[in-house]
Amino acid sequence: ALVEDGRHLLSNVISTSVKEQALYGGVVPEIASRRHCEFISATVKKALLDAGKTIDDVDAVAVTFAPGLIGAVLVGVNFAKGLAYSAGKPLVPVHHLRGHIAALYLTHPELKPPFLCLVASGGHSHIVEVQDYTHYHILGHTVDDAAGEAIDKCSKVMGLGYPGGPIIDRLARQGNPHAYKFSEPHIPGLDYSFSGLKTSFLYSLREWIKDDPDFIEHHKEDLAASLEFTIVDILMKKLRLAVKQTGIKHVAVAGGVSANNGLRNAFNEHAQKYGWTIYIPKFSYTTDNAAMIGITGYYKYLDKVFCSIDKPAFSKVTFK
């Protein structure tokens, strides 16, 4: 992607292997890495062409250095290093989760820090106090599994396919959210936990299937709605507590799970009930994209946060 002034998107190109990964019921790291190698050069070239720019017009090269599947992250980091070095441009390292928060600025150009942001994705569930464009304070995070992972794993247990998020979302719109109850964690403070919910969902299904082998097929809409309701309830309870503790009523949501309609509806309900000013990204900016990395890179560029050519890639690194 090419981003101008931190708000203006000149181009945003996505190359994805989701359909291929779906054949295996989830992401296969080796396939992901190989597809990155095969398509990254053409993808970057198309982003420049779509923007009507050349690399000479670019001020800096921003790249995700962590977290993620290490093979795929390495491809991006090493390509960015070569591009920046050959063009004589500074290299800006970006944490992936910072990108999800920055994606909000595309949908809401009026949004300015400070605000609270719930970052919910397949691998992360954080409550973040965004103090300014480059300084964040983590108020809470998952101590085990993330909300998106819980949705995907439960979808897989039900045999619904991959990725599970959109499937659960679609089925939940047709089901009763109060049909079934699942275990909710009792974690102190603002931290999250979803491992217990996954276990509760699995054990409950096992018991119900004993009496009715076709239980899932007959009740999949209610199961999806009840699962979604439980996850959204867990997320919103902690977020309400964070608003109460900080007094900040400008509240945003970001990450892949922000595409879930149940969570979006909950945000709208909380805005009316508690007087929050809410910020929800467009669906196109909820999933991974280069635009959000470019926006984050812009503000780090202004702060002169650059890295050397020997900057490593990481599969995991603390979000701060």
Side-chain angles (χ1 to χ4, degrees), residues 12-24:
N12 187 38
V13 181
I14 294 177
S15 178
T16 176
S17 60
V18 167
K19 289 184 178 180
E20 186 177 7
Q21 305 289 354
L23 298 174
Y24 304 95

Side-chain angles (χ1 to χ4, degrees), residues 4-169:
E4 188 174 52
D5 298 331
R7 290 291 197 279
H8 186 203
L9 185 60
L10 302 182
S11 66
N12 187 38
V13 181
I14 294 177
S15 178
T16 176
S17 60
V18 167
K19 289 184 178 180
E20 186 177 7
Q21 305 289 354
L23 298 174
Y24 304 95
V27 176
V28 180
E30 174 68 14
I31 292 176
S33 302
R34 286 180 179 275
R35 298 301 172 262
H36 274 54
C37 289
E38 291 168 7
F39 290 98
I40 190 167
S41 182
T43 303
V44 172
K45 183 178 180 180
K46 188 175 189 311
L48 287 166
L49 288 172
D50 287 355
K53 304 291 183 181
T54 69
I55 190 62
D56 294 331
D57 299 313
V58 173
D59 294 301
V61 177
V63 63
T64 301
F65 76 95
L69 295 173
I70 190 60
V73 178
L74 276 168
V75 173
V77 168
N78 285 313
F79 186 93
K81 285 179 180 180
L83 184 63
Y85 183 77
S86 63
K89 308 294 182 180
L91 184 63
V92 182
V94 175
H95 190 288
H96 180 75
L97 290 192
R98 285 178 173 264
H100 277 304
I101 295 173
L104 287 156
Y105 303 135
L106 285 171
T107 305
H108 302 281
E110 78 283 4
L111 175 60
K112 297 178 180 179
F115 60 90
L116 293 182
C117 186
L118 169 64
V119 185
S121 66
H124 307 275
S125 295
H126 286 70
I127 298 177
V128 182
E129 181 183 350
V130 181
Q131 297 170 328
D132 63 39
Y133 290 109
T134 57
H135 294 88
Y136 301 161
H137 178 212
I138 309 304
L139 301 178
H141 61 88
T142 181
V143 298
D144 44 52
D145 300 330
E149 181 184 3
I151 293 173
D152 283 339
K153 290 290 176 62
C154 291
S155 173
K156 190 171 184 178
V157 167
M158 292 172 65
L160 298 179
Y162 173 87
I167 301 172
I168 292 293
D169 193 349

Side-chain angles (χ1 to χ4, degrees), residues 129-312:
E129 181 183 350
V130 181
Q131 297 170 328
D132 63 39
Y133 290 109
T134 57
H135 294 88
Y136 301 161
H137 178 212
I138 309 304
L139 301 178
H141 61 88
T142 181
V143 298
D144 44 52
D145 300 330
E149 181 184 3
I151 293 173
D152 283 339
K153 290 290 176 62
C154 291
S155 173
K156 190 171 184 178
V157 167
M158 292 172 65
L160 298 179
Y162 173 87
I167 301 172
I168 292 293
D169 193 349
R170 175 176 54 81
L171 292 174
R173 307 282 70 79
Q174 307 165 49
N176 176 8
H178 305 291
Y180 307 103
K181 288 190 176 295
F182 303 109
S183 174
E184 292 197 21
H186 299 284
I187 305 295
L190 297 175
D191 288 337
Y192 288 114
S193 169
F194 290 96
S195 63
L197 170 62
K198 288 197 314 182
T199 302
S200 172
F201 187 86
L202 174 61
Y203 287 177
S204 295
L205 273 187
R206 284 179 178 175
E207 290 301 315
W208 294 328
I209 291 172
K210 285 180 182 178
D211 298 326
D212 179 5
D214 296 321
F215 180 85
I216 293 176
E217 182 60 31
H218 295 157
H219 303 278
K220 59 185 177 182
E221 291 84 3
D222 288 346
L223 284 168
S226 299
L227 173 66
E228 178 188 271
F229 176 84
T230 305
I231 290 175
V232 170
D233 188 50
I234 293 170
L235 291 171
M236 298 308 294
K237 280 179 179 176
K238 297 288 181 138
L239 192 56
R240 287 197 301 271
L241 182 58
V243 171
K244 183 177 180 180
Q245 289 182 1
T246 63
I248 299 173
K249 288 195 171 184
H250 286 262
V251 188
V253 61
V257 181
S258 67
N260 177 269
N261 283 287
L263 184 57
R264 286 170 171 253
N265 292 339
F267 260 75
N268 284 305
E269 291 166 4
H270 278 62
Q272 295 179 3
K273 186 174 181 179
Y274 299 104
W276 295 0
T277 301
I278 59 171
Y279 303 92
I280 302 174
K282 290 181 180 177
F283 285 106
S284 57
Y285 299 132
T286 58
T287 53
D288 297 348
N289 61 85
M292 66 187 197
I293 304 303
I295 294 170
T296 309
Y298 168 80
Y299 289 109
K300 295 189 77 172
Y301 172 80
L302 294 182
D303 285 354
K304 295 184 171 19
V305 181
F306 307 138
C307 66
S308 63
I309 203 72
D310 60 353
K311 175 73 175 179

